[in-house]
Amino acid sequence: MSAEDLFQKELDILAEARQQIKNNTYSENPLLPEYQAMTKHYKKLLNQAKRLVTMSDRMQKDLNELNHRLEKLSSLDGLTGIPNRRWFDLTYATEWKRAQRNETPLSVIMMDIDYFKRFNDTYGHAAGDNCLQQVAQALSSGAKRSMEFVARYGGEEFVAVLPGTDLKGGQIVAETMRDLVEKLKIPHLKSEVSDHVTISVGIASLKLPLNRDIKSQTLINAADNMLYKAKDNGRNRVCP
Amino acid sequence: MIRSRLWLKTTLLIFIEASKSSPLVKYEVESNTLEITGECYPENAVKFFTPIFQWLEGEIKSLESPLLTVNLNISYFNSSTSKSLMNFFDMLEEAHDKGKEIVVNWIYMEENETAEECGEEFQEDLENLPFNLVIIDSEQII
């Protein structure tokens, strides 16, 4: 809606006032010049009101854009550019509720870079940061379906959330992600399981029909336990 | 020493320190310049602008004083501030029409398109008052 439409009522009043002044009945009125001055003043104030709205909208637009930028920034991990833990916490809670409401499957994949401390100690922190960035990008490329996402969970740990995917489908995605990291071929001489950087992967899924008593954290804990099992079973693998 | 020289002038003095939500307001007697610099979104715009209007009423009475320069560098302001500024400019324009020499400079940073557009709105709203849009680049900030 343009400012002209927004102030149509005021414009109509102004037009009517002008018409009244033009009418012959007023031509003899000694107050005519004052009426004319008042009409002129009204027009000036109306224009100012229009300008005020224009300026106010403009400022508000700037603030909204800034707000969106900040919101986006606050949801991304500064190093890797993928969603951060904060964003994961918020979005996972939403997906959990959706799965409960719609009785749809939900899978969580927890991933951890194998022997990452040794990698850092051997190649330095800059190489460590670079490794995290490459792994984060590779894992993100493995989350293909809409609503699927990978977030940095903390340190060298990543988490993937797969709404609508059951354990069987989740295992395929998990294996793809493990493979994507292996294919990066980032040299890691101090790893005991490979010459390259690898990840261990744990996956857990909601069972249908849903048990309404379980909490959202339970699924994360289950995936985390599977991750430890993958570590215990020799790393660079998916469990179960 | 400066103070004693300032007191020689009959014009009202005005100085308001900047706060988080209100700009610095400073009148320099030597150059006859009023400067308003900073963001302006005071809780109560009427209250904030009252001393400025009072100052202006005193200032515009003396037609024979030298050119009054008003330098405004307000990067962000709320709606009630824009209305106050319009009232302020109207007063200046009225004084200008009566013969007082006044020039207003609307100063903004090169990349601040919003400040530029708002300056243009204020400019277009005035008929006779000299109102300049003055761009400064980032390096010119002191």
Side-chain angles (χ1 to χ4, degrees), chain A residues 78-82 126-138 158:
Chain A
L79 177 67
T80 61
I82 68 170
D129 284 354
N130 186 267
C131 172
L132 286 169
Q133 287 166 339
Q134 287 192 61
V135 169
Q137 287 313 310
F158 297 89

Side-chain angles (χ1 to χ4, degrees), chain A residues 7-53:
Chain A
F7 291 93
Q8 194 54 54
K9 202 170 170 183
E10 286 85 344
L11 290 168
D12 290 347
I13 291 172
L14 193 59
E16 202 194 322
R18 280 179 173 152
Q19 193 55 49
Q20 296 262 3
I21 288 167
K22 263 193 205 161
N23 277 353
N24 290 334
T25 39
Y26 287 90
S27 58
E28 303 293 320
N29 195 318
L31 288 173
L32 188 62
E34 285 194 40
Y35 289 151
Q36 280 167 332
M38 276 162 74
T39 316
K40 200 181 158 206
H41 209 101
Y42 183 88
K43 193 187 168 208
K44 160 115 186 156
L45 291 174
L46 171 58
N47 281 333
Q48 287 195 343
K50 286 183 190 176
R51 293 186 198 286
L52 288 173
V53 171

Side-chain angles (χ1 to χ4, degrees), chain A residues 61-71:
Chain A
K61 187 170 154 265
D62 282 2
L63 287 182
N64 287 337
E65 279 171 5
L66 185 66
N67 198 16
H68 286 142
R69 274 219 307 279
L70 289 176
E71 206 171 284

Side-chain angles (χ1 to χ4, degrees), chain A residues 7-238:
Chain A
F7 291 93
Q8 194 54 54
K9 202 170 170 183
E10 286 85 344
L11 290 168
D12 290 347
I13 291 172
L14 193 59
E16 202 194 322
R18 280 179 173 152
Q19 193 55 49
Q20 296 262 3
I21 288 167
K22 263 193 205 161
N23 277 353
N24 290 334
T25 39
Y26 287 90
S27 58
E28 303 293 320
N29 195 318
L31 288 173
L32 188 62
E34 285 194 40
Y35 289 151
Q36 280 167 332
M38 276 162 74
T39 316
K40 200 181 158 206
H41 209 101
Y42 183 88
K43 193 187 168 208
K44 160 115 186 156
L45 291 174
L46 171 58
N47 281 333
Q48 287 195 343
K50 286 183 190 176
R51 293 186 198 286
L52 288 173
V53 171
T54 306
M55 283 192 270
S56 174
D57 284 357
R58 176 77 214 212
M59 294 273 181
Q60 221 168 71
K61 187 170 154 265
D62 282 2
L63 287 182
N64 287 337
E65 279 171 5
L66 185 66
N67 198 16
H68 286 142
R69 274 219 307 279
L70 289 176
E71 206 171 284
K72 209 176 162 194
L73 272 178
S74 70
S75 65
L76 294 181
D77 174 54
L79 177 67
T80 61
I82 68 170
N84 59 17
R85 175 65 178 270
R86 185 182 158 273
W87 200 78
F88 164 78
D89 287 341
L90 290 171
T91 315
Y92 174 67
T94 311
E95 290 302 338
W96 174 266
K97 277 181 206 145
R98 198 200 306 275
Q100 294 274 319
R101 195 170 54 239
N102 302 343
E103 303 243 346
T104 48
L106 177 67
S107 293
V108 170
I109 303 174
M110 296 294 291
M111 298 161 280
D112 188 87
I113 301 177
D114 296 323
Y115 299 109
F116 186 69
K117 194 185 175 304
R118 288 190 195 177
F119 184 92
N120 258 337
D121 292 345
T122 311
Y123 300 99
H125 284 284
D129 284 354
N130 186 267
C131 172
L132 286 169
Q133 287 166 339
Q134 287 192 61
V135 169
Q137 287 313 310
L139 295 178
S140 294
S141 73
K144 289 198 183 73
R145 286 163 65 175
S146 68
M147 312 311 287
E148 283 183 359
F149 69 92
V150 175
R152 189 172 177 199
Y153 196 69
E156 67 267 31
E157 210 170 339
F158 297 89
V159 60
V161 177
L162 314 175
T165 300
D166 61 9
L167 183 63
K168 226 174 148 189
Q171 279 170 322
I172 295 168
V173 177
E175 176 52 31
T176 307
M177 288 182 173
R178 190 207 60 76
D179 189 49
L180 282 166
V181 172
E182 199 167 31
K183 280 201 178 119
L184 287 173
K185 296 233 175 275
I186 304 169
H188 190 351
L189 294 175
K190 292 285 162 69
S191 168
E192 284 175 25
V193 292
S194 169
D195 292 337
H196 299 101
V197 168
T198 57
I199 56 168
S200 296
V201 185
I203 174 164
S205 304
L206 269 187
K207 281 196 198 86
L208 295 172
L210 289 175
N211 173 0
R212 297 274 169 194
D213 293 333
I214 67 163
K215 299 214 158 58
S216 64
Q217 186 60 38
T218 312
L219 189 61
I220 297 172
N221 292 344
D224 216 27
N225 288 337
M226 286 300 129
L227 169 60
Y228 281 107
K229 209 171 155 197
K231 292 263 182 206
D232 288 342
N233 290 355
R235 294 183 167 85
N236 189 24
R237 68 192 63 221
V238 178

Side-chain angles (χ1 to χ4, degrees), chain B residues 17-142:
Chain B
E17 255 182 273
S19 79
K20 192 175 165 285
S21 58
S22 64
L24 165 82
V25 181
K26 191 173 78 180
Y27 172 66
E28 263 183 29
V29 95
E30 315 246 317
S31 54
N32 204 28
T33 302
L34 179 75
E35 179 196 325
I36 304 181
T37 305
E39 300 196 338
C40 192
Y41 49 100
E43 240 174 76
N44 188 337
V46 176
K47 200 175 152 200
F48 177 77
F49 276 92
T50 297
I52 302 173
F53 282 110
Q54 281 169 350
W55 169 85
L56 186 61
E57 267 171 26
E59 167 63 27
I60 56 185
K61 271 183 203 146
S62 49
L63 290 180
E64 58 287 340
S65 66
L67 171 78
L68 169 68
T69 307
V70 180
N71 288 331
L72 303 170
N73 187 347
I74 312 173
S75 51
Y76 175 79
F77 48 91
N78 61 7
S79 305
S80 33
T81 295
S82 15
K83 177 60 179 157
S84 304
L85 285 173
M86 280 180 173
N87 294 346
F88 181 69
F89 296 146
D90 282 348
M91 263 177 91
L92 287 172
E93 184 153 71
E94 212 176 291
H96 173 267
D97 290 348
K98 281 181 188 157
K100 187 166 173 66
E101 276 195 279
I102 303 171
V103 62
V104 178
N105 295 312
W106 180 261
I107 303 160
Y108 60 94
M109 296 266 286
E110 202 175 359
E111 63 271 26
N112 193 344
E113 281 175 37
T114 300
E116 180 179 17
E117 279 173 35
C118 290
E120 283 167 1
E121 290 289 341
F122 288 129
Q123 191 181 44
E124 286 164 21
D125 192 54
L126 297 162
E127 281 174 43
N128 307 314
L129 182 70
F131 190 99
N132 306 317
L133 299 179
V134 182
I135 309 170
I136 48 165
D137 58 45
S138 320
E139 275 117 55
Q140 273 175 277
I141 308 171
I142 307 149

